[in-house]
Amino acid sequence: MAADRQSVRDLITAHFSNNGSYTVTVNDESNGVYARVVEADGSIRGVMALTRYDTKAELGEAMHLVDTVAQIPTASTYGLIHMGYVASDHTGEGIGSRLLDRLHAIGAREGVDVFVSDAWFHGGTDTPEHLLRNHGYEVAFKRPLSGGHAEDDCPKCTGECVCEAALTVRTS
């Protein structure tokens, strides 16, 4: 990954809100972490990562928005899709789809049986709901987001906040 961590962190923060601070996953393929970045003309257009886990318990500990793994099918290897962000001025260009396709190919090569994403579904045009559904993910669980931005000004929804934490699953 040629992009520096601070640039990726800035992209992620700008994607969600001006007040957030986010952890950036570091590419570490020897430990099952595959981070991919799309860059063009010297700027980062998007970033997404896949982390491989051998147990549901490990997977559950890594998820941020959803605290249940009950709806995830049993598998020998799980792949958590996370850090899915595209610069707002490049939404709709297929960047998220290309990143997700690359991570699915890596996951297949690494023996991932079940791909999982605990995603933030929101009222913005760039909600990951469309991307995930278009790539074969099914919603296994969702709940309204409580606390945080849902009770303040939501950075994505126009009007009433409809944000949800969603557990999505795709089997190989």
Side-chain angles (χ1 to χ4, degrees), residues 52-116:
R52 189 185 68 234
Y53 296 99
D54 294 326
T55 69
K56 269 193 204 185
E58 292 172 319
L59 173 68
E61 289 295 317
M63 294 190 310
H64 298 287
L65 297 173
V66 176
D67 60 3
T68 180
V69 295
Q71 298 85 351
I72 300 171
T74 300
S76 62
T77 307
Y78 302 90
L80 178 62
I81 299 290
H82 54 109
M83 267 182 41
Y85 311 102
V86 174
S88 59
D89 53 341
H90 294 285
T91 297
E93 295 177 5
I95 293 169
S97 288
R98 287 193 305 272
L99 286 165
L100 196 52
D101 287 343
R102 287 170 65 190
L103 295 175
H104 286 153
I106 291 168
R109 182 187 76 217
E110 296 298 318
V112 170
D113 300 310
V114 175
F115 291 92
V116 176

